[in-house]
Amino acid sequence: MAPHTVLLVLFEGVQSLDVTGPLEVFTGASKAARNPDFYRVSTASLDGAPVRTSSGLLITPDTALTGAAAPHTLVVPGGDGTRSPGPGLIAWLRRTAPHARRVVSVCTGAFLLAEAGLLDGHRATTHWTMCDQLAGRFPAVDVEPEPIYVRDGHVATSAGVTSGIDLALALVEEDLGRDAALTVARHLVVFLRRPGNQSQFSSQLAAQTASRRPLRDVQQWIAENPGADLSVERLAERAGLSPRHFARAFQAEVGCTPGRYVDRVRLETARRLLEDSVDGIEGISRACGYGTPEAMRRAFVRTLGTAPAEYRRRFRPMNPAGPGTPVAGLKPPTGPKTATGPKPPAGSRAPTGPNSPTEQGQ
């Protein structure tokens, strides 16, 4: 196989993990493939001088960008330095990146690609806190705030720092196959790779914490009891409010409806169980309040674009603790099991769970 050159761009204020994460993946993949020259990885700053990262680490590059040829894979990391990039760096990207086979950004490195016009007409992502800013500054870019990475043609952009590792593993799997990528993932003690369309953040991060104690207690109870009756009526009763008042107060303080919040928590809990246990999908669907495996499958496909079985395959535990292993903080479902009923008509929207407030218009 022909060697792939990988060039990581350095600049003042670069995020060190955005550099070292992909670097470790690519160098480790060459070792895993028993072909040390398959990925020829190098770093370069504009003039070849050392750069100080956003955390204060001093990195000495291998070469200068001004004398570097277009690589097979160009990796542009993020960091504080992307806020006011030097015109020389942007000019180099604008001139050289179109000749690279693959152009990759990590985190806010997407801003440098966008500044150089390399994301115009492309789908892209960046760290979730910066997606609105990226879309506002560069309207020609189709910004997708949810995925951990987005591939559009020869351009690939990733979200927060660790998603750069996910994207690099995906590229290794494409180049060298699953076995090589899995070997690297095991060496780095990470999962093979998360699906690119997996959400960047958890339901607890995406939603606000309510200011009033009764609503905060309800949020905590939902997280610990996803298999329980989480209808608006039951949640309102727990908060000591009328259903109407509860629904309005919850949306005002948390930033989403009770139904949407329950959907997110159930999905996240199911993902965690698929990742961290070897429990069967049917048992997980009941524990998370879906009632049936089919209801959980529809929720996964609708939100993540992949079925639970495929999600588990990508997240297969390295050392499962054994069947029935509980996840910390998760209580077993209460109440009778929901019987599997007839499948809904084609095109209809299945309820997220047997007692989901989503089905009550909330």
Side-chain angles (χ1 to χ4, degrees):
M1 291 181 285
H4 288 13
T5 54
V6 179
L7 181 63
L8 293 108
V9 176
L10 301 180
F11 49 86
E12 286 294 321
V14 69
Q15 164 64 251
S16 57
L17 284 176
D18 288 5
V19 177
T20 58
L23 186 148
E24 291 290 344
V25 170
F26 288 120
T27 56
S30 292
K31 296 176 184 177
R34 297 182 180 178
N35 183 353
D37 292 325
F38 182 80
Y39 287 115
R40 296 178 179 174
V41 185
S42 62
T43 58
S45 65
L46 189 61
D47 57 2
V51 300
R52 185 77 63 178
T53 70
S54 57
S55 61
L57 178 69
L58 189 67
I59 300 180
T60 301
D62 296 308
T63 187
L65 289 175
T66 51
H72 177 280
T73 302
L74 176 65
V75 181
V76 181
D80 294 343
T82 62
R83 297 175 181 174
S84 53
L89 175 59
I90 298 304
W92 184 89
L93 288 172
R94 188 178 293 121
R95 181 174 65 253
T96 308
H99 301 289
R101 291 285 297 276
R102 293 188 301 218
V103 179
V104 176
S105 70
V106 182
C107 200
T108 54
F111 281 81
L112 299 182
L113 297 186
E115 188 74 37
L118 300 168
L119 296 184
D120 288 358
H122 286 282
R123 295 180 298 111
T125 193
T126 186
H127 192 281
W128 66 275
T129 61
M130 303 297 290
C131 283
D132 287 344
Q133 185 175 332
L134 182 65
R137 284 182 55 187
F138 305 101
V141 181
D142 182 8
V143 179
E144 298 186 4
E146 288 281 342
I148 59 172
Y149 62 80
V150 172
R151 298 189 66 180
D152 188 357
H154 75 292
V155 177
T157 53
S158 62
V161 289
T162 57
S163 63
I165 294 177
D166 295 297
L167 178 52
L169 284 170
L171 297 178
V172 167
E173 185 174 355
E174 177 182 289
D175 295 338
L176 294 172
R178 180 179 174 83
D179 288 346
L182 182 58
T183 298
V184 176
R186 285 173 173 164
H187 179 71
L188 296 178
V189 198
V190 296
F191 291 106
L192 171 56
R193 63 182 176 92
R194 293 180 283 174
N197 55 6
Q198 183 178 323
S199 178
Q200 290 192 36
F201 41 80
S202 70
S203 53
Q204 281 75 20
L205 289 175
Q208 303 174 37
T209 300
S211 58
R212 282 185 279 182
R213 179 65 179 270
L215 296 181
R216 290 202 308 273
D217 289 345
V218 166
Q219 286 182 282
Q220 181 67 27
W221 196 81
I222 291 171
E224 294 179 353
N225 300 273
D229 180 353
L230 301 182
S231 62
V232 168
E233 287 76 13
R234 298 288 78 77
L235 296 178
E237 182 180 319
R238 179 166 288 276
L241 302 170
S242 70
R244 183 183 294 270
H245 185 191
F246 169 77
R248 289 176 175 173
F250 192 95
Q251 178 156 11
E253 295 199 18
V254 179
C256 64
T257 66
R260 179 62 172 156
Y261 188 80
V262 168
D263 286 348
R264 289 174 176 174
V265 170
R266 281 178 166 160
L267 185 72
E268 182 174 317
T269 305
R271 282 167 43 186
R272 192 152 48 94
L273 282 169
L274 289 169
E275 297 166 12
D276 298 339
S277 80
V278 291
D279 292 348
I281 289 178
E282 183 174 355
I284 291 175
S285 67
R286 290 199 303 269
C288 296
Y290 289 108
T292 69
E294 176 60 22
M296 186 170 76
R297 188 193 70 80
R298 285 194 289 266
F300 266 67
V301 171
R302 181 172 59 250
T303 306
L304 301 177
T306 189
E310 171 63 12
Y311 185 91
R312 166 165 272 176
R313 186 185 73 80
R314 294 174 182 268
F315 273 73
R316 186 174 303 143
M318 298 299 178
N319 294 296
T325 302
V327 172
L330 178 62
K331 298 178 181 179
T334 57
K337 297 178 182 179
T338 303
T340 303
K343 291 184 178 180
S348 63
R349 184 181 185 274
T352 301
N355 298 299
S356 173
T358 301
E359 299 308 307
Q360 304 172 35
Q362 299 299 330

CSV table of all heavy atoms in Angstrom, one decimal, residues 241-294:
chain,number,residue,atom,x,y,z
A,241,LEU,N,-47.1,20.1,41.7
A,241,LEU,CA,-47.7,21.1,40.8
A,241,LEU,C,-48.8,20.5,40.0
A,241,LEU,O,-48.8,19.3,39.8
A,241,LEU,CB,-46.6,21.7,39.9
A,241,LEU,CG,-45.4,22.4,40.6
A,241,LEU,CD1,-44.4,22.7,39.5
A,241,LEU,CD2,-45.9,23.6,41.3
A,242,SER,N,-49.6,21.3,39.4
A,242,SER,CA,-50.6,20.8,38.5
A,242,SER,C,-49.9,20.5,37.2
A,242,SER,O,-48.9,21.0,36.9
A,242,SER,CB,-51.7,21.9,38.2
A,242,SER,OG,-51.2,22.9,37.4
A,243,PRO,N,-50.4,19.5,36.4
A,243,PRO,CA,-49.8,19.2,35.1
A,243,PRO,C,-49.5,20.4,34.2
A,243,PRO,O,-48.4,20.5,33.7
A,243,PRO,CB,-50.7,18.2,34.5
A,243,PRO,CG,-51.4,17.5,35.7
A,243,PRO,CD,-51.6,18.7,36.7
A,244,ARG,N,-50.5,21.3,34.1
A,244,ARG,CA,-50.3,22.4,33.2
A,244,ARG,C,-49.2,23.3,33.8
A,244,ARG,O,-48.3,23.8,33.0
A,244,ARG,CB,-51.6,23.2,33.1
A,244,ARG,CG,-51.5,24.4,32.2
A,244,ARG,CD,-52.8,25.1,32.1
A,244,ARG,NE,-53.9,24.3,31.6
A,244,ARG,CZ,-54.2,24.3,30.3
A,244,ARG,NH1,-53.5,25.0,29.4
A,244,ARG,NH2,-55.2,23.5,29.8
A,245,HIS,N,-49.2,23.6,35.1
A,245,HIS,CA,-48.2,24.5,35.7
A,245,HIS,C,-46.8,23.8,35.6
A,245,HIS,O,-45.8,24.5,35.3
A,245,HIS,CB,-48.6,24.8,37.1
A,245,HIS,CG,-47.7,25.8,37.8
A,245,HIS,ND1,-47.7,26.0,39.2
A,245,HIS,CD2,-46.7,26.6,37.3
A,245,HIS,CE1,-46.7,26.9,39.4
A,245,HIS,NE2,-46.1,27.3,38.3
A,246,PHE,N,-46.8,22.5,35.8
A,246,PHE,CA,-45.5,21.8,35.8
A,246,PHE,C,-44.9,21.9,34.4
A,246,PHE,O,-43.7,22.2,34.2
A,246,PHE,CB,-45.7,20.3,36.2
A,246,PHE,CG,-44.5,19.5,35.9
A,246,PHE,CD1,-43.4,19.5,36.7
A,246,PHE,CD2,-44.5,18.6,34.8
A,246,PHE,CE1,-42.2,18.7,36.5
A,246,PHE,CE2,-43.4,17.8,34.5
A,246,PHE,CZ,-42.3,17.9,35.4
A,247,ALA,N,-45.7,21.6,33.4
A,247,ALA,CA,-45.2,21.6,32.0
A,247,ALA,C,-44.6,23.0,31.6
A,247,ALA,O,-43.6,23.1,31.0
A,247,ALA,CB,-46.3,21.2,31.0
A,248,ARG,N,-45.3,24.0,32.0
A,248,ARG,CA,-44.9,25.4,31.7
A,248,ARG,C,-43.6,25.7,32.4
A,248,ARG,O,-42.7,26.3,31.9
A,248,ARG,CB,-46.0,26.4,31.9
A,248,ARG,CG,-47.2,26.3,31.0
A,248,ARG,CD,-48.3,27.3,31.4
A,248,ARG,NE,-49.3,27.3,30.4
A,248,ARG,CZ,-50.5,27.9,30.6
A,248,ARG,NH1,-50.7,28.6,31.7
A,248,ARG,NH2,-51.4,27.9,29.7
A,249,ALA,N,-43.6,25.4,33.7
A,249,ALA,CA,-42.4,25.8,34.5
A,249,ALA,C,-41.2,25.0,34.1
A,249,ALA,O,-40.1,25.5,34.1
A,249,ALA,CB,-42.7,25.5,36.0
A,250,PHE,N,-41.4,23.7,33.8
A,250,PHE,CA,-40.3,22.9,33.4
A,250,PHE,C,-39.6,23.4,32.1
A,250,PHE,O,-38.4,23.5,32.0
A,250,PHE,CB,-40.8,21.4,33.1
A,250,PHE,CG,-39.7,20.4,33.0
A,250,PHE,CD1,-39.2,19.7,34.1
A,250,PHE,CD2,-39.1,20.2,31.7
A,250,PHE,CE1,-38.2,18.8,33.9
A,250,PHE,CE2,-38.0,19.3,31.6
A,250,PHE,CZ,-37.6,18.6,32.7
A,251,GLN,N,-40.5,23.7,31.1
A,251,GLN,CA,-39.9,24.2,29.8
A,251,GLN,C,-39.2,25.6,30.1
A,251,GLN,O,-38.2,25.8,29.5
A,251,GLN,CB,-41.0,24.4,28.8
A,251,GLN,CG,-40.5,25.0,27.5
A,251,GLN,CD,-41.3,24.6,26.3
A,251,GLN,OE1,-42.4,24.1,26.4
A,251,GLN,NE2,-40.8,24.8,25.1
A,252,ALA,N,-39.8,26.4,30.9
A,252,ALA,CA,-39.2,27.7,31.1
A,252,ALA,C,-37.8,27.6,31.8
A,252,ALA,O,-36.9,28.4,31.5
A,252,ALA,CB,-40.1,28.6,32.0
A,253,GLU,N,-37.7,26.7,32.7
A,253,GLU,CA,-36.4,26.6,33.5
A,253,GLU,C,-35.4,25.6,32.9
A,253,GLU,O,-34.2,25.8,33.1
A,253,GLU,CB,-36.8,26.2,35.0
A,253,GLU,CG,-37.6,27.2,35.7
A,253,GLU,CD,-37.5,27.0,37.2
A,253,GLU,OE1,-36.6,26.3,37.7
A,253,GLU,OE2,-38.3,27.6,37.9
A,254,VAL,N,-35.9,24.6,32.2
A,254,VAL,CA,-35.0,23.6,31.7
A,254,VAL,C,-34.6,23.8,30.3
A,254,VAL,O,-33.5,23.4,29.8
A,254,VAL,CB,-35.5,22.2,31.9
A,254,VAL,CG1,-34.6,21.1,31.4
A,254,VAL,CG2,-35.8,21.9,33.4
A,255,GLY,N,-35.5,24.5,29.5
A,255,GLY,CA,-35.2,24.8,28.2
A,255,GLY,C,-35.8,23.9,27.1
A,255,GLY,O,-35.6,24.0,26.0
A,256,CYS,N,-36.6,22.9,27.6
A,256,CYS,CA,-37.2,21.9,26.7
A,256,CYS,C,-38.5,21.4,27.4
A,256,CYS,O,-38.6,21.5,28.6
A,256,CYS,CB,-36.3,20.8,26.3
A,256,CYS,SG,-35.8,19.7,27.6
A,257,THR,N,-39.4,20.8,26.7
A,257,THR,CA,-40.6,20.2,27.3
A,257,THR,C,-40.2,19.0,28.2
A,257,THR,O,-39.1,18.3,27.9
A,257,THR,CB,-41.6,19.7,26.2
A,257,THR,OG1,-41.0,18.7,25.5
A,257,THR,CG2,-41.9,20.9,25.3
A,258,PRO,N,-41.1,18.6,29.1
A,258,PRO,CA,-40.8,17.4,29.9
A,258,PRO,C,-40.6,16.2,29.0
A,258,PRO,O,-39.8,15.3,29.2
A,258,PRO,CB,-42.0,17.3,30.8
A,258,PRO,CG,-42.5,18.7,30.9
A,258,PRO,CD,-42.3,19.3,29.6
A,259,GLY,N,-41.5,16.1,27.9
A,259,GLY,CA,-41.4,14.9,27.0
A,259,GLY,C,-40.1,14.8,26.3
A,259,GLY,O,-39.5,13.8,26.2
A,260,ARG,N,-39.6,16.0,25.8
A,260,ARG,CA,-38.3,16.0,25.1
A,260,ARG,C,-37.2,15.6,26.1
A,260,ARG,O,-36.2,14.9,25.7
A,260,ARG,CB,-38.0,17.4,24.6
A,260,ARG,CG,-36.7,17.5,23.8
A,260,ARG,CD,-36.6,16.6,22.6
A,260,ARG,NE,-35.4,16.9,21.9
A,260,ARG,CZ,-34.8,16.0,21.1
A,260,ARG,NH1,-35.4,14.8,21.0
A,260,ARG,NH2,-33.8,16.3,20.4
A,261,TYR,N,-37.2,16.1,27.3
A,261,TYR,CA,-36.2,15.8,28.3
A,261,TYR,C,-36.2,14.3,28.6
A,261,TYR,O,-35.1,13.6,28.7
A,261,TYR,CB,-36.4,16.6,29.6
A,261,TYR,CG,-35.3,16.5,30.6
A,261,TYR,CD1,-34.1,17.2,30.4
A,261,TYR,CD2,-35.4,15.6,31.7
A,261,TYR,CE1,-33.1,17.1,31.3
A,261,TYR,CE2,-34.3,15.5,32.6
A,261,TYR,CZ,-33.2,16.2,32.4
A,261,TYR,OH,-32.2,16.1,33.3
A,262,VAL,N,-37.4,13.7,28.8
A,262,VAL,CA,-37.5,12.3,29.1
A,262,VAL,C,-36.9,11.5,27.9
A,262,VAL,O,-36.2,10.5,28.1
A,262,VAL,CB,-39.0,11.9,29.4
A,262,VAL,CG1,-39.1,10.4,29.3
A,262,VAL,CG2,-39.4,12.4,30.7
A,263,ASP,N,-37.3,11.9,26.7
A,263,ASP,CA,-36.7,11.2,25.5
A,263,ASP,C,-35.2,11.2,25.5
A,263,ASP,O,-34.6,10.1,25.2
A,263,ASP,CB,-37.2,11.9,24.2
A,263,ASP,CG,-38.7,11.6,23.9
A,263,ASP,OD1,-39.3,10.7,24.6
A,263,ASP,OD2,-39.3,12.3,23.0
A,264,ARG,N,-34.6,12.3,25.8
A,264,ARG,CA,-33.2,12.4,25.8
A,264,ARG,C,-32.5,11.5,26.9
A,264,ARG,O,-31.5,10.9,26.6
A,264,ARG,CB,-32.7,13.9,26.0
A,264,ARG,CG,-33.0,14.8,24.9
A,264,ARG,CD,-32.7,16.2,25.3
A,264,ARG,NE,-32.9,17.2,24.2
A,264,ARG,CZ,-32.8,18.5,24.3
A,264,ARG,NH1,-32.5,19.0,25.5
A,264,ARG,NH2,-32.9,19.3,23.3
A,265,VAL,N,-33.1,11.6,28.1
A,265,VAL,CA,-32.5,10.8,29.2
A,265,VAL,C,-32.7,9.3,28.9
A,265,VAL,O,-31.7,8.5,29.1
A,265,VAL,CB,-33.2,11.1,30.5
A,265,VAL,CG1,-32.9,10.1,31.6
A,265,VAL,CG2,-32.9,12.6,30.9
A,266,ARG,N,-33.8,8.9,28.4
A,266,ARG,CA,-34.0,7.5,28.0
A,266,ARG,C,-33.0,7.0,27.0
A,266,ARG,O,-32.4,5.9,27.1
A,266,ARG,CB,-35.4,7.2,27.6
A,266,ARG,CG,-36.4,7.1,28.8
A,266,ARG,CD,-37.8,6.9,28.4
A,266,ARG,NE,-38.6,6.5,29.5
A,266,ARG,CZ,-40.0,6.6,29.6
A,266,ARG,NH1,-40.6,7.1,28.5
A,266,ARG,NH2,-40.6,6.2,30.6
A,267,LEU,N,-32.8,7.8,26.0
A,267,LEU,CA,-31.9,7.5,24.9
A,267,LEU,C,-30.5,7.4,25.4
A,267,LEU,O,-29.7,6.4,25.1
A,267,LEU,CB,-32.0,8.5,23.7
A,267,LEU,CG,-31.1,8.1,22.5
A,267,LEU,CD1,-31.8,6.9,21.8
A,267,LEU,CD2,-31.0,9.3,21.6
A,268,GLU,N,-30.1,8.4,26.2
A,268,GLU,CA,-28.7,8.4,26.8
A,268,GLU,C,-28.5,7.2,27.7
A,268,GLU,O,-27.4,6.6,27.7
A,268,GLU,CB,-28.5,9.7,27.5
A,268,GLU,CG,-27.1,9.8,28.1
A,268,GLU,CD,-26.8,11.1,28.7
A,268,GLU,OE1,-27.2,12.1,28.1
A,268,GLU,OE2,-26.2,11.2,29.8
A,269,THR,N,-29.5,6.8,28.5
A,269,THR,CA,-29.4,5.7,29.4
A,269,THR,C,-29.2,4.4,28.6
A,269,THR,O,-28.4,3.5,28.9
A,269,THR,CB,-30.6,5.6,30.4
A,269,THR,OG1,-30.7,6.8,31.1
A,269,THR,CG2,-30.4,4.5,31.4
A,270,ALA,N,-30.0,4.3,27.6
A,270,ALA,CA,-29.9,3.1,26.7
A,270,ALA,C,-28.6,3.0,26.0
A,270,ALA,O,-28.0,1.9,26.0
A,270,ALA,CB,-31.0,3.1,25.6
A,271,ARG,N,-28.0,4.1,25.6
A,271,ARG,CA,-26.7,4.1,25.0
A,271,ARG,C,-25.7,3.6,26.0
A,271,ARG,O,-24.8,2.8,25.7
A,271,ARG,CB,-26.4,5.5,24.5
A,271,ARG,CG,-27.0,5.9,23.2
A,271,ARG,CD,-26.9,7.4,23.0
A,271,ARG,NE,-25.6,8.0,23.3
A,271,ARG,CZ,-25.3,9.2,23.2
A,271,ARG,NH1,-26.3,10.1,22.9
A,271,ARG,NH2,-24.1,9.7,23.5
A,272,ARG,N,-25.8,4.1,27.2
A,272,ARG,CA,-24.8,3.8,28.3
A,272,ARG,C,-24.9,2.3,28.6
A,272,ARG,O,-23.9,1.6,28.8
A,272,ARG,CB,-25.1,4.6,29.5
A,272,ARG,CG,-24.0,4.6,30.6
A,272,ARG,CD,-24.0,5.9,31.4
A,272,ARG,NE,-25.4,6.3,31.8
A,272,ARG,CZ,-25.9,6.0,33.0
A,272,ARG,NH1,-25.2,5.2,33.8
A,272,ARG,NH2,-27.1,6.4,33.3
A,273,LEU,N,-26.1,1.7,28.7
A,273,LEU,CA,-26.3,0.3,28.9
A,273,LEU,C,-25.7,-0.5,27.8
A,273,LEU,O,-25.1,-1.6,28.0
A,273,LEU,CB,-27.7,0.0,29.2
A,273,LEU,CG,-28.3,0.4,30.5
A,273,LEU,CD1,-29.8,0.3,30.6
A,273,LEU,CD2,-27.7,-0.5,31.6
A,274,LEU,N,-25.9,-0.1,26.6
A,274,LEU,CA,-25.4,-0.8,25.4
A,274,LEU,C,-23.9,-0.8,25.4
A,274,LEU,O,-23.2,-1.8,25.0
A,274,LEU,CB,-25.9,-0.2,24.1
A,274,LEU,CG,-27.4,-0.5,23.8
A,274,LEU,CD1,-27.8,0.4,22.6
A,274,LEU,CD2,-27.6,-1.9,23.5
A,275,GLU,N,-23.3,0.3,25.9
A,275,GLU,CA,-21.8,0.4,26.0
A,275,GLU,C,-21.2,-0.3,27.1
A,275,GLU,O,-20.2,-1.0,27.0
A,275,GLU,CB,-21.4,1.9,26.1
A,275,GLU,CG,-21.9,2.8,24.9
A,275,GLU,CD,-21.7,4.3,25.2
A,275,GLU,OE1,-21.1,4.6,26.3
A,275,GLU,OE2,-22.3,5.1,24.5
A,276,ASP,N,-21.8,-0.3,28.3
A,276,ASP,CA,-21.2,-0.7,29.5
A,276,ASP,C,-21.7,-2.0,30.1
A,276,ASP,O,-21.1,-2.5,31.1
A,276,ASP,CB,-21.4,0.4,30.6
A,276,ASP,CG,-20.7,1.7,30.2
A,276,ASP,OD1,-19.8,1.7,29.4
A,276,ASP,OD2,-21.1,2.8,30.8
A,277,SER,N,-22.7,-2.6,29.5
A,277,SER,CA,-23.2,-3.9,30.0
A,277,SER,C,-23.3,-4.9,28.8
A,277,SER,O,-23.2,-4.5,27.7
A,277,SER,CB,-24.5,-3.7,30.7
A,277,SER,OG,-25.6,-3.6,29.8
A,278,VAL,N,-23.6,-6.1,29.2
A,278,VAL,CA,-23.9,-7.1,28.1
A,278,VAL,C,-25.4,-7.6,28.2
A,278,VAL,O,-25.7,-8.6,27.8
A,278,VAL,CB,-23.0,-8.3,28.3
A,278,VAL,CG1,-21.5,-7.9,27.9
A,278,VAL,CG2,-23.0,-8.9,29.7
A,279,ASP,N,-26.2,-6.8,28.9
A,279,ASP,CA,-27.6,-7.1,29.0
A,279,ASP,C,-28.2,-7.1,27.6
A,279,ASP,O,-27.8,-6.4,26.7
A,279,ASP,CB,-28.3,-6.0,29.8
A,279,ASP,CG,-27.9,-6.1,31.3
A,279,ASP,OD1,-27.3,-7.1,31.7
A,279,ASP,OD2,-28.3,-5.1,32.0
A,280,GLY,N,-29.3,-7.9,27.4
A,280,GLY,CA,-29.9,-8.0,26.1
A,280,GLY,C,-30.7,-6.8,25.8
A,280,GLY,O,-31.1,-6.0,26.6
A,281,ILE,N,-30.9,-6.6,24.5
A,281,ILE,CA,-31.6,-5.4,24.0
A,281,ILE,C,-33.0,-5.3,24.5
A,281,ILE,O,-33.5,-4.2,24.9
A,281,ILE,CB,-31.6,-5.3,22.5
A,281,ILE,CG1,-30.1,-5.0,22.0
A,281,ILE,CG2,-32.5,-4.3,21.9
A,281,ILE,CD1,-29.9,-5.0,20.5
A,282,GLU,N,-33.7,-6.5,24.6
A,282,GLU,CA,-35.0,-6.5,25.2
A,282,GLU,C,-35.1,-6.0,26.6
A,282,GLU,O,-35.9,-5.2,27.0
A,282,GLU,CB,-35.6,-7.9,25.1
A,282,GLU,CG,-37.1,-7.9,25.5
A,282,GLU,CD,-37.7,-9.3,25.3
A,282,GLU,OE1,-37.1,-10.2,24.7
A,282,GLU,OE2,-38.9,-9.5,25.8
A,283,GLY,N,-34.1,-6.5,27.4
A,283,GLY,CA,-34.1,-6.0,28.8
A,283,GLY,C,-33.8,-4.5,28.9
A,283,GLY,O,-34.3,-3.8,29.8
A,284,ILE,N,-32.8,-4.1,28.1
A,284,ILE,CA,-32.5,-2.6,28.1
A,284,ILE,C,-33.7,-1.8,27.7
A,284,ILE,O,-33.9,-0.7,28.3
A,284,ILE,CB,-31.3,-2.4,27.2
A,284,ILE,CG1,-30.0,-3.0,27.8
A,284,ILE,CG2,-31.0,-0.9,27.0
A,284,ILE,CD1,-28.8,-3.0,26.9
A,285,SER,N,-34.4,-2.2,26.7
A,285,SER,CA,-35.6,-1.5,26.2
A,285,SER,C,-36.6,-1.3,27.4
A,285,SER,O,-37.2,-0.2,27.5
A,285,SER,CB,-36.2,-2.1,25.0
A,285,SER,OG,-36.8,-3.3,25.4
A,286,ARG,N,-36.8,-2.3,28.2
A,286,ARG,CA,-37.7,-2.2,29.3
A,286,ARG,C,-37.1,-1.3,30.4
A,286,ARG,O,-37.8,-0.5,31.0
A,286,ARG,CB,-38.0,-3.6,29.9
A,286,ARG,CG,-38.9,-4.5,29.0
A,286,ARG,CD,-39.5,-5.6,29.8
A,286,ARG,NE,-38.5,-6.4,30.5
A,286,ARG,CZ,-37.9,-7.5,30.0
A,286,ARG,NH1,-38.3,-7.9,28.8
A,286,ARG,NH2,-37.0,-8.2,30.7
A,287,ALA,N,-35.8,-1.5,30.7
A,287,ALA,CA,-35.2,-0.7,31.8
A,287,ALA,C,-35.2,0.7,31.5
A,287,ALA,O,-35.2,1.6,32.4
A,287,ALA,CB,-33.8,-1.2,32.0
A,288,CYS,N,-35.2,1.1,30.2
A,288,CYS,CA,-35.1,2.5,29.8
A,288,CYS,C,-36.5,3.1,29.5
A,288,CYS,O,-36.6,4.2,29.0
A,288,CYS,CB,-34.2,2.7,28.6
A,288,CYS,SG,-32.5,2.2,29.0
A,289,GLY,N,-37.6,2.3,29.7
A,289,GLY,CA,-38.9,2.8,29.5
A,289,GLY,C,-39.5,2.8,28.1
A,289,GLY,O,-40.5,3.4,27.8
A,290,TYR,N,-38.8,2.1,27.2
A,290,TYR,CA,-39.3,2.0,25.8
A,290,TYR,C,-40.4,0.9,25.7
A,290,TYR,O,-41.2,1.0,24.8
A,290,TYR,CB,-38.1,1.6,24.8
A,290,TYR,CG,-37.2,2.8,24.6
A,290,TYR,CD1,-35.9,2.8,25.2
A,290,TYR,CD2,-37.6,3.9,23.9
A,290,TYR,CE1,-35.0,3.8,25.0
A,290,TYR,CE2,-36.7,5.0,23.7
A,290,TYR,CZ,-35.4,4.9,24.3
A,290,TYR,OH,-34.6,6.0,24.1
A,291,GLY,N,-40.3,-0.1,26.6
A,291,GLY,CA,-41.3,-1.1,26.5
A,291,GLY,C,-41.0,-2.3,25.6
A,291,GLY,O,-41.1,-3.4,26.0
A,292,THR,N,-40.6,-2.0,24.4
A,292,THR,CA,-40.3,-3.0,23.4
A,292,THR,C,-39.0,-2.7,22.7
A,292,THR,O,-38.7,-1.5,22.5
A,292,THR,CB,-41.4,-3.2,22.4
A,292,THR,OG1,-41.5,-2.0,21.5
A,292,THR,CG2,-42.8,-3.4,23.0
A,293,PRO,N,-38.3,-3.7,22.2
A,293,PRO,CA,-37.1,-3.4,21.4
A,293,PRO,C,-37.4,-2.6,20.1
A,293,PRO,O,-36.6,-1.8,19.7
A,293,PRO,CB,-36.6,-4.8,21.0
A,293,PRO,CG,-37.1,-5.7,22.1
A,293,PRO,CD,-38.5,-5.1,22.5
A,294,GLU,N,-38.6,-2.8,19.5
A,294,GLU,CA,-38.9,-2.1,18.3
A,294,GLU,C,-39.0,-0.6,18.6
A,294,GLU,O,-38.6,0.3,17.8
A,294,GLU,CB,-40.2,-2.6,17.7
A,294,GLU,CG,-40.7,-1.9,16.5
A,294,GLU,CD,-39.7,-1.8,15.3
A,294,GLU,OE1,-38.8,-2.7,15.3
A,294,GLU,OE2,-39.8,-0.9,14.5
